[in-house]
Amino acid sequence: MKDKTIFITGAGSGIGAACAMRFASEGCRLILNARNTDRLGQVCSEVRKNYGADVLPLPFDVRDRKAIEEALASLPDEWKAIDVLVNNAGLALGLDKEFEGSLDDWETVIDTNIKGTLAMTRLVVPGMLERGRGHIINIGSIAGDGAYPGGSVYCATKAAVKALTDGLRIDLVDTPLRVTNIKPGQVETNFSMVRFHGDKDRADKVYEGYKPLEAADIAETVWFAASMPEHVQIAEMLVLPTCQATSGIISRKI
Ligand code: NDP
Ligand code: 8X3
């Protein structure tokens, strides 16, 4: 994997930033995306400082197809050969009933999680096919395996990520490219702060009384999938904290 070029969306915090650290620690070159340029800049600095990694910040909004096209077209030649695309940018907004929540928020969630993932894939995979190598790793969720109260739209987007991942694997079956869906359970990141619009008390409660996953745990599974021999395709991985059995069943006793 040394010197491979890894493109990670949503790398300004949480799982994406942890993936950046993990791949950098193995000598990979990184193209890192998010919207907030300050946070993205901090991750880039950390990756350079800790691992001496070659890193290119590429800020854009994955909901903006034209911005993705322009960003990809702007890549210097030595950065164009993307080996691994980690479609990680994503979010939930609110925890409301399907007949009560905000349509604007849901549009953001759908546009980011589904259309952003799809646009990145559509625009990056043709180059991988030309080069005869590549790996697309989508960050799905346990939420894609079944709905939970107040989560229907977010769950629907992660079910869509599963369908997009499975469909892409079918479409690429006669090529050397690999396609993976990593489906985490509860991971303590900025996810709940974003979901609850900055309500820290509510966000903290999500992780109270048990040990959730850390972003680095998921980065390890992403690294595992990417670093397996070329003939091994990790199709899907559901990764939960030990005290979680389903989306709704979490033991808060340990
Ligand atoms: P964070 O909120 O910590 O990170 C999300 C990242 O995505 C940020 O860097 C954010 O940066 C970026 N992002 C959000 N919207 C956009 C956009 N439109 N364009 C580009 N970047 C964007 O959350 P997580 O690390 O937890 O989430 C990462 C992925 O993991 C998501 O897809 C999430 O659904 C998934 N996941 C999370 C779980 C959890 O429990 N935390 C469990 C299962 C899956 P910025 O705002 O600057 O753009
Ligand atoms: C994030 C995990 O269970 O809050 O995908 O939806 S959950």
Side-chain angles (χ1 to χ4, degrees):
M1 291 295 295
K2 191 164 163 27
D3 295 330
K4 289 263 165 74
T5 300
I6 320 295
F7 193 134
I8 305 169
T9 66
S13 68
I15 293 168
C19 287
M21 300 302 158
R22 188 66 184 90
F23 281 94
S25 75
E26 299 288 344
C28 296
R29 311 165 73 232
L30 305 173
I31 305 172
L32 300 183
N33 153 268
R35 291 165 302 175
N36 183 311
T37 49
D38 288 345
R39 280 209 307 259
L40 188 61
Q42 280 166 23
V43 174
C44 290
S45 304
E46 222 174 304
V47 157
R48 284 192 195 103
K49 192 173 84 171
N50 293 348
Y51 305 105
D54 212 0
V55 53
L56 183 75
L58 203 63
F60 59 80
D61 187 327
V62 298
R63 292 173 297 170
D64 183 344
R65 193 202 307 174
K66 197 158 174 290
I68 305 178
E69 283 168 355
E70 285 171 4
L72 290 174
S74 78
L75 285 175
D77 283 348
E78 66 274 21
W79 286 96
K80 283 198 195 303
I82 297 161
D83 294 293
V84 179
L85 168 63
V86 184
N87 275 317
N88 164 76
L91 78 171
L93 289 172
L95 192 63
D96 302 301
K97 293 186 194 296
E98 205 171 309
F99 52 89
E100 289 177 348
S102 156
L103 281 167
D104 285 340
D105 278 355
W106 289 338
E107 199 164 282
T108 301
V109 174
I110 289 166
D111 286 354
T112 309
N113 299 3
I114 306 179
K115 290 161 76 177
T117 296
L118 179 58
M120 286 300 301
T121 298
R122 173 65 186 88
L123 293 168
V124 170
V125 168
M128 290 178 165
L129 280 171
E130 271 170 32
R131 293 184 292 279
R133 61 170 205 276
H135 193 163
I136 301 90
I137 302 180
N138 291 334
I139 305 300
S141 170
I142 189 176
D145 287 355
Y148 56 77
S152 66
V153 172
Y154 177 68
C155 293
T157 66
K158 291 300 182 178
V161 169
K162 176 173 166 49
L164 290 173
T165 317
D166 290 346
L168 184 63
R169 195 179 308 108
I170 292 166
D171 291 343
L172 291 172
V173 71
D174 54 357
T175 79
L177 273 61
R178 300 184 290 179
V179 188
T180 298
N181 186 13
I182 303 287
K183 306 190 302 182
Q186 294 289 351
V187 191
E188 190 164 9
T189 63
N190 282 345
F191 179 84
S192 292
M193 276 290 275
V194 172
R195 166 169 252 174
F196 298 125
H197 299 279
D199 182 338
K200 188 168 180 330
D201 287 345
R202 203 170 168 199
D204 286 347
K205 282 205 173 61
V206 173
Y207 311 108
E208 243 172 44
Y210 69 99
K211 181 156 176 48
L213 295 170
E214 294 170 13
D217 299 323
I218 298 305
E220 195 61 35
T221 66
V222 173
W223 165 255
F224 174 77
S227 59
M228 290 301 279
E230 293 289 324
H231 70 286
V232 181
Q233 176 172 228
I234 304 294
E236 190 168 293
M237 218 191 288
L238 176 65
V239 188
L240 305 176
T242 305
C243 59
Q244 180 171 18
T246 68
S247 279
I249 301 179
I250 297 176
S251 168
R252 295 179 192 253
K253 291 187 195 138
I254 53 172

